[in-house]
């Protein structure tokens, strides 16, 4: 783009998706790097620029500026170095429970932050391929192109089959659609099995490793119900559940594990829990 020719070295394309192309820019003055996303869809650009400009959470790239230039729309933002999470998980065949909890809590907290704003946002494309693990081990979520405001009914079919809530593949999404995708992602972190390539449904994490937490198995079950009413209603509730598990002392954790084990046995016998739209009220 002409606007950036004087201040930056020649751009290097690093990604391309349905909503645009992403380039890495190096500033001539100080050698700092930035990501430049170029789009042609004005509606998608306006939404993504608004979200990034107003987001205040370390999970997301820092916003620099947005505008129109040379017939296209652009967003200039922080460039995040690292490797996508899917590659890291596949190479390592999953993470230990403490590692997975740390990363998943960061993701849950960031999505919860989006969902509790004055204009709640549904991310709609949460998957390991859209998460970067930096050299320092930080978790960063990129590509907001599929996101929409909760009160905006665009009817778009978005996401990735296997990782995305079933209703979303039919053009319907709500806050608990991201809850479903989060459950799939967390399962992938713990087991190393990518949901995008799994067409047989999720096996219990305890079948992979019986030393894993019953509390986490129950949490994942409460995220990945086939219908929205079988899921926790939003990412705030998911985050609170995870924090409750992570902050228990030894005695409290053992008690929670026993209660979760009993609940899992009940569900094997066909009992179900249907959640209200917002269980915080």
């Amino acid at each position: 783009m002409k606007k950036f020719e004087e201040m930056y070295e020649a751009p290097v394309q690093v990604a391309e998706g349905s909503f645009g192309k992403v380039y890495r820019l190096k500033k001539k003055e100080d050698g700092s790097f930035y990501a430049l996303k170029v789009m042609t869809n004005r509606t998608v650009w306006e939404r993504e620029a608004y979200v990034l400009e107003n987001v205040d959470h370390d999970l997301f790239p820092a916003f620099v500026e947005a505008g129109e230039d040379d017939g296209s729309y652009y967003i200039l933002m922080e460039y995040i170095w690292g490797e996508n999470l899917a590659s890291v998980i596949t190479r390592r065949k999953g993470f230990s429970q403490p590692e997975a909890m740390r990363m998943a809590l960061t993701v849950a907290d960031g999505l919860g932050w989006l969902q509790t704003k004055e204009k709640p946002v549904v991310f709609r494309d949460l998957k390991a391929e859209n998460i970067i693990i930096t050299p320092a081990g930080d978790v960063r979520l990129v590509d907001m192109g599929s996101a929409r405001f909760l009160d905006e009914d665009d009817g778009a079919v978005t996401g990735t089959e296997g990782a995305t809530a079933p209703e979303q593949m039919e053009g319907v999404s709500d806050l608990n659609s991201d809850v479903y995708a989060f459950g799939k992602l967390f399962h992938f972190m713990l087991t190393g099995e990518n949901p995008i390539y799994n067409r047989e449904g999720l096996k219990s994490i305890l079948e992979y490793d019986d030393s894993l937490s019953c509390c986490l198995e129950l949490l994942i079950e409460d995220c990945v119900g086939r219908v929205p009413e079988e899921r926790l209603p939003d990412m705030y509730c998911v985050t609170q559940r995870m924090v409750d598990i992570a902050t228990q002392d030894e005695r409290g954790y053992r008690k929670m594990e026993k209660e979760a084990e009993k609940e899992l046995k009940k569900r094997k016998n066909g009992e179900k829990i249907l959640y209200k739209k917002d269980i915080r009220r």
Side-chain angles (χ1 to χ4, degrees):
M1 301 183 75
K2 294 179 180 178
K3 173 181 173 66
F4 301 98
E5 289 178 356
E6 290 187 9
M7 294 179 60
Y8 299 89
E9 296 181 4
V12 177
Q13 185 175 329
V14 293
E16 182 174 2
S18 55
F19 294 111
K21 297 179 180 180
V22 180
Y23 300 88
R24 183 175 67 240
L25 294 183
K26 184 177 181 180
K27 201 169 186 177
K28 295 177 181 178
E29 182 181 7
D30 58 10
S32 55
F33 288 90
Y34 297 87
L36 177 69
K37 187 168 186 177
V38 181
M39 294 170 273
T40 55
N41 186 311
R42 183 181 181 88
T43 300
V44 173
W45 165 72
E46 287 179 338
R47 182 197 301 133
E48 185 169 357
Y50 176 88
V51 172
L52 284 174
E53 186 174 7
N54 290 279
V55 77
D56 184 22
H57 196 284
D58 289 341
L59 181 65
F60 306 99
F63 175 86
V64 179
E65 66 171 278
E68 183 179 359
D69 182 62
D70 201 22
S72 298
Y73 306 101
Y74 72 86
I75 301 174
L76 187 67
M77 66 192 97
E78 171 191 11
Y79 184 79
I80 300 173
W81 295 94
E83 183 178 3
N84 82 65
L85 179 59
S87 298
V88 178
I89 296 175
T90 300
R91 185 174 66 251
R92 294 186 52 177
K93 297 181 173 59
F95 293 103
S96 68
Q97 184 168 301
E99 286 180 302
M101 276 287 284
R102 177 185 67 81
M103 291 186 292
L105 254 173
T106 301
V107 174
D109 188 63
L111 292 177
W113 192 94
L114 286 181
Q115 291 189 357
T116 53
K117 301 310 292 175
E118 184 177 349
K119 295 183 70 172
V121 173
V122 186
F123 190 78
R124 294 201 296 185
D125 198 19
L126 179 64
K127 57 185 178 180
E129 288 76 5
N130 281 342
I131 294 174
I132 300 296
I133 303 297
T134 72
D138 296 326
V139 182
R140 308 297 300 276
L141 183 57
V142 298
D143 194 355
M144 304 283 290
S146 296
R148 74 166 178 87
F149 297 116
L150 182 61
D151 61 1
E152 173 191 20
D153 184 13
D154 61 1
V157 176
T158 58
T160 305
E161 189 173 356
T164 298
E167 71 276 4
Q168 197 173 300
M169 303 306 292
E170 299 177 0
V172 179
S173 57
D174 205 332
L175 298 181
N176 59 24
S177 301
D178 280 351
V179 170
Y180 180 95
F182 174 82
K184 288 292 191 81
L185 173 66
F186 195 19
H187 186 279
F188 184 20
M189 289 180 180
L190 289 165
T191 66
E193 184 171 338
N194 194 328
I196 294 175
Y197 308 115
N198 176 12
R199 295 293 180 262
E200 298 178 359
L202 295 187
K203 295 189 297 184
S204 165
I205 61 173
L206 303 174
E207 292 185 46
Y208 294 88
D209 182 352
D210 60 11
S211 72
L212 291 173
S213 167
C214 290
C215 292
L216 295 187
E217 169 59 22
L218 188 60
L219 172 65
I220 291 172
E221 281 199 9
D222 283 343
C223 289
V224 299
R226 293 293 297 174
V227 297
E229 294 78 14
E230 294 177 356
R231 305 174 203 146
L232 293 169
D234 57 43
M235 290 305 303
Y236 175 89
C237 295
V238 173
T239 303
Q240 292 305 301
R241 176 88 75 86
M242 294 186 74
V243 169
D244 194 26
I245 295 169
T247 55
Q248 293 291 325
D249 60 19
E250 185 176 351
R251 181 178 178 182
Y253 181 72
R254 286 201 305 266
K255 182 179 179 181
M256 286 187 70
E257 279 290 285
K258 288 180 180 179
E259 291 174 351
E261 188 175 3
K262 288 180 182 178
E263 179 62 28
L264 290 170
K265 286 180 180 178
K266 287 181 182 179
R267 296 188 184 188
K268 282 186 178 180
N269 293 327
E271 292 190 23
K272 286 186 177 181
I273 291 181
L274 297 181
Y275 288 100
K276 297 178 183 178
K277 187 74 172 179
D278 188 343
I279 62 176
R280 288 173 285 162
R281 295 175 182 167

